[in-house]
Amino acid sequence: MVSNQGVDGPTGSEKLEKVVIRFAGDSGDGMQLTGDRFTHEAAAFGNDLATQPNFPAEIRAPQGTLPGVSSFQIQIADYDILTAGDQPDVLVAMNPAALKANVDDLARGATVIVNTDEFTKRTLAKVGYERDPLTDDSLGDFVVHRVPMTSLTLTATEPAGVGKKDGQRAKNMFALGLLSWMYGRPLGGTEAFMREKFAATPEIGEANVLAFRAGWNYGETTETFATTYEVAPAALPPGTYRQITGNTALAYGVIAAGQLSGLPVFLGTYPITPASDILHELSKHKNFGVTTFQAEDEIAGIGAALGASIGGALGVTSTSGPGLALKSETIGLAVMTELPLVIIDVQRGGPSTGLPTKTEQADLLQALYGRNGESPVAVVAPRSPADCFAAAVDAARIALTYRTPVLLLSDGAIANGSEPWSIPRVSDLEPIDPAFEPPAEEGAAAGQSFQPYARDPETLARPLARPGTAGRAHRIGGLEKADGSGNISYDPANHELMVRLRQAKIDGIAVPDLEVDDPDGTADLLLIGWGSSYGPIGEACRRARRRGVPVAQAHLRYLNPLPANTGEVLRRYRRVVAPEMNGGQLALLLRGTYLVDVQPWTKVAGTAFSAQELVGVIDAALDGSIGELEQNKAFDARARATYRTTGGHR
């Protein structure tokens, strides 16, 4: 924890600029709910915040095991922050597995609060502890608070009349109450939430409230916790804020795009982690003209969405990497028919089923090229949870204006993470004109038939006519179109023309120039990224600059087409590094497009970059060792595989 004023008088209250807290336990211990409630209270208090949940993919993960650990990390601060923090200042560990899975992430001097009731011989042995870490001095670098949370919770919930099993389940609320006391969070909001959540079973709701109060009172009365901490509200720009996750912001952006264009929204989709929450959220908003269709598979979902686009709706589909592969043929059909379609891809660790609940940025090349034939599409990538709203509106605007599919690339870190979102004024949002063709005038001269593949001279977009519009009948399908008429054509020259026209249309999409954050204009090194790497890169640059190291940052929201000044920006710097959570896809793209030596810095661990990790990348780039370090990753992987194959013998 970073203190800027020390202990404040006899009350034992310490003022902090920021704190990073991680709740960890079994996937059934309610860690996501606990973290979410703490986040809500921090948002209501006015702190800037960023969160990062982490949980297993299995619905019933093995209890008490390392693979079954679920955690929720939040950073709150009195200034604007960019990430959920590198290392927790406080770890709440509900069992030995939670402690073992997370203790290596802690900084020296961190606070560890453990539920001692769960530290039994059996649970310790299950995760490989030969001795109890609470008694063998292995936690000597930390401030450890031993709290019998389960037994205290059972005592507190007795008046509610619930059974032992339901009483034990409320121990996460005890932990939340204790942390709420430590950081001066109010009681009322969480108590009201619990009563509303369990309105159908009020005794369960009351048990959770009693456990929550018991945790608060424990902190208030025990001598174990002598100090509380204050993190003041952040001085954010004026506006109305709410806490929002990336998936919720994407859903709201899609709704807003429907309202701005005057079109009904149709989501055709199939549930897939981590994109399913978009379906869940959109299904709540039928009153805004939203129809959600949960199809039998990914192919049916996008087929229905494209059908809705043909019919004059805003067609949207959502998925993750494996589903994007299945949708590729229909995306190609949308390219050929030149219809607006928004495809949301919330990327996750792959290949195949891979790491469904872990984050990755490895679908970039699939989004750009993962279809048969020359089938260009626009690609837009939000940089943070709050940015998802504007990115979704932007994607819909491009799709409708240019008559093209648009790939909207989010990822697991953005989708499940949250931060404050400044709610925009409706009057500040620019309308979207779908520009449908009107009915033909009566008595139009014979021979002046509709030309569905004529081109707007500015955008190269083709005319769009709803089915049934008088005088606008036309043929549509996957076979190549004749320029202008849209008739089926096998003519080689026509195919060449249409391929190049479709590419030119995408290349001509108007996107803003790439902005560079280079405060002094003296940097020799540029870090360029896309998607959720924005926060870690930005925080790493801040830390480097505080040490007097000049470094520039640029972030790509538009990945196809790339901003017109991208090449000029890259050539401005002697060293360019592209950190990304894949094998170097952006670096490959930039090198091939601009013939600039962009050095990749890659990570495929299923976890986001930490800012401190990228500070090391900055140092390595400046001393010239980054290429060797990057190559060593492949060498180390090969060495490990050889070691295991030979049983440890060379």
Side-chain angles (χ1 to χ4, degrees):
M1 289 174 277
V2 178
S3 172
N4 59 353
Q5 296 188 33
V7 177
D8 184 18
T11 60
S13 178
E14 187 176 343
K15 293 183 179 179
L16 307 174
E17 293 177 344
K18 69 175 183 68
V19 66
V20 180
I21 300 169
R22 185 182 295 177
F23 299 93
D26 271 332
S27 60
D29 281 343
M31 295 297 95
Q32 305 306 317
L33 175 62
T34 306
D36 190 57
R37 285 311 312 163
F38 195 89
T39 302
H40 272 80
E41 296 303 334
F45 187 75
N47 298 128
D48 197 13
L49 64 91
T51 72
Q52 193 55 66
N54 188 6
F55 44 88
E58 294 84 359
I59 294 173
R60 296 184 181 275
Q63 192 172 8
T65 66
L66 295 176
V69 172
S70 174
S71 67
F72 188 105
Q73 182 163 307
I74 175 173
Q75 179 173 202
I76 60 174
D78 64 4
Y79 61 93
D80 68 301
I81 56 176
L82 298 173
T83 74
D86 288 354
Q87 296 177 297
D89 301 304
V90 180
L91 171 65
V92 179
M94 303 301 286
N95 60 21
L99 177 65
K100 190 164 191 177
N102 293 280
V103 70
D104 289 343
D105 294 339
L106 299 176
R108 187 172 183 177
T111 296
V112 181
I113 303 172
V114 295
N115 178 15
T116 55
D117 288 331
E118 298 299 321
F119 279 68
T120 65
K121 286 184 178 181
R122 179 175 172 275
T123 57
L124 290 166
K126 188 178 273 192
V127 293
Y129 276 126
E130 295 180 1
R131 294 175 294 176
D132 187 345
L134 302 183
T135 60
D136 68 358
D137 295 328
S138 61
L139 301 178
D141 287 338
F142 313 116
V143 178
V144 181
H145 295 287
R146 301 164 178 82
V147 183
M149 295 186 202
T150 305
S151 54
L152 289 172
T153 300
L154 284 172
T155 301
T157 57
E158 281 180 4
V162 297
K164 183 177 180 180
K165 187 175 181 181
D166 288 328
Q168 286 179 330
R169 283 177 175 167
K171 62 182 180 290
N172 63 322
M173 288 296 105
F174 183 98
L176 178 60
L178 176 55
L179 269 292
S180 297
W181 173 81
M182 287 177 64
Y183 292 95
R185 307 292 113 167
L187 295 175
T190 295
E191 291 185 359
F193 171 83
M194 298 310 298
R195 289 194 170 102
E196 181 179 351
K197 178 178 176 64
F198 295 105
T201 52
E203 67 280 4
I204 301 296
E206 188 61 25
N208 279 275
V209 168
L210 290 171
F212 179 61
R213 289 179 182 170
W216 175 285
N217 292 334
Y218 183 84
E220 180 75 22
T221 58
T222 185
E223 295 181 1
T224 304
F225 297 89
T227 305
T228 59
Y229 304 94
E230 299 177 28
V231 181
L236 299 174
T240 302
Y241 287 81
R242 61 154 287 176
Q243 175 231 350
I244 201 164
T245 66
N247 275 346
T248 300
L250 284 174
Y252 287 178
V254 167
I255 296 168
Q259 296 295 301
L260 293 169
S261 62
L263 300 182
V265 172
F266 181 92
L267 176 75
T269 192
Y270 182 76
I272 184 171
T273 302
S276 299
D277 286 341
I278 299 168
L279 166 63
H280 301 158
E281 186 61 41
L282 284 174
S283 67
K284 303 174 185 176
H285 299 287
K286 298 179 179 67
N287 54 317
F288 286 111
V290 177
T291 299
T292 53
F293 169 55
Q294 181 175 319
E296 65 269 29
D297 56 38
E298 297 279 6
I299 299 170
I302 190 173
L306 185 58
S309 291
I310 294 171
L314 175 58
V316 183
T317 190
S318 57
T319 191
S320 189
L324 184 62
L326 292 169
K327 295 178 189 291
S328 62
E329 185 178 4
T330 306
I331 297 172
L333 177 60
V335 171
M336 176 62 78
T337 54
E338 301 191 44
L339 287 166
L341 181 66
V342 176
I343 305 108
I344 300 171
D345 175 18
V346 185
Q347 300 163 97
R348 71 190 206 188
S352 187
T353 309
L355 307 172
T357 59
K358 311 303 178 185
T359 193
E360 205 166 88
Q361 292 179 291
D363 293 351
L364 176 56
L365 295 183
Q366 181 181 199
L368 289 167
Y369 306 117
R371 294 162 297 282
N372 66 297
E374 295 291 338
S375 50
V377 300
V379 180
V380 179
R383 68 186 192 184
S384 68
D387 187 44
C388 284
F389 175 86
V393 173
D394 207 12
R397 187 185 307 279
I398 291 170
L400 289 165
T401 302
Y402 293 89
R403 318 304 199 211
T404 179
V406 179
L407 261 294
L408 188 53
L409 284 181
S410 178
D411 61 48
I414 290 174
N416 296 317
S418 66
E419 64 182 354
W421 171 51
S422 179
I423 302 173
R425 295 170 178 239
V426 173
S427 59
D428 292 339
L429 299 176
E430 185 182 346
I432 302 172
D433 182 8
F436 289 112
E437 289 292 300
E441 294 181 16
E442 282 191 32
Q448 291 183 348
S449 59
F450 179 47
Q451 295 287 296
Y453 285 84
R455 302 285 166 183
D456 180 281
E458 256 186 58
T459 65
L460 295 183
R462 77 174 185 86
L464 204 57
R466 286 188 174 103
T469 303
R472 305 300 185 192
H474 61 282
R475 180 178 301 177
I476 199 163
L479 292 172
E480 182 61 282
K481 309 291 180 284
D483 179 35
S485 70
N487 294 331
I488 294 170
S489 173
Y490 292 93
D491 178 66
N494 178 79
H495 179 56
E496 176 97 13
L497 172 65
M498 294 298 281
V499 166
R500 297 194 182 280
L501 276 172
R502 289 189 288 263
Q503 183 65 60
K505 181 177 68 171
I506 300 300
D507 292 343
I509 293 173
V511 301
D513 276 351
L514 179 62
E515 296 182 0
V516 182
D517 176 19
D518 187 357
D520 301 324
T522 61
D524 187 52
L525 168 66
L526 171 71
L527 263 61
I528 187 166
W530 66 281
S532 64
S533 63
Y534 172 79
I537 292 174
E539 177 59 29
C541 290
R542 286 181 179 181
R543 294 182 188 180
R545 290 167 189 159
R546 285 198 292 266
R547 292 165 40 210
V549 178
V551 59
Q553 176 192 6
H555 205 76
L556 288 163
R557 173 189 258 213
Y558 303 95
L559 293 155
N560 200 32
L562 291 162
N565 69 328
T566 303
E568 183 272 324
V569 167
L570 295 175
R571 295 184 188 101
R572 198 186 305 167
Y573 295 90
R574 195 159 68 89
R575 298 180 178 93
V576 181
V577 177
E580 49 185 331
M581 294 181 291
N582 58 44
Q585 296 182 20
L586 177 63
L588 180 70
L589 178 67
L590 296 178
R591 281 181 173 220
T593 304
Y594 301 106
L595 304 180
V596 173
D597 184 18
V598 178
Q599 173 66 53
W601 183 261
T602 63
K603 182 175 184 176
V604 281
T607 57
F609 288 113
S610 72
Q612 197 56 39
E613 178 182 359
L614 294 183
V615 169
V617 170
I618 291 170
D619 292 341
L622 292 174
D623 70 20
S625 64
I626 187 171
E628 182 181 347
L629 291 174
E630 177 67 21
Q631 290 173 4
N632 282 345
K633 294 175 185 175
F635 177 81
D636 289 346
R638 193 177 186 87
R640 286 189 187 187
T642 303
Y643 185 84
R644 288 173 180 162
T645 302
T646 60
H649 301 287
R650 294 292 177 90

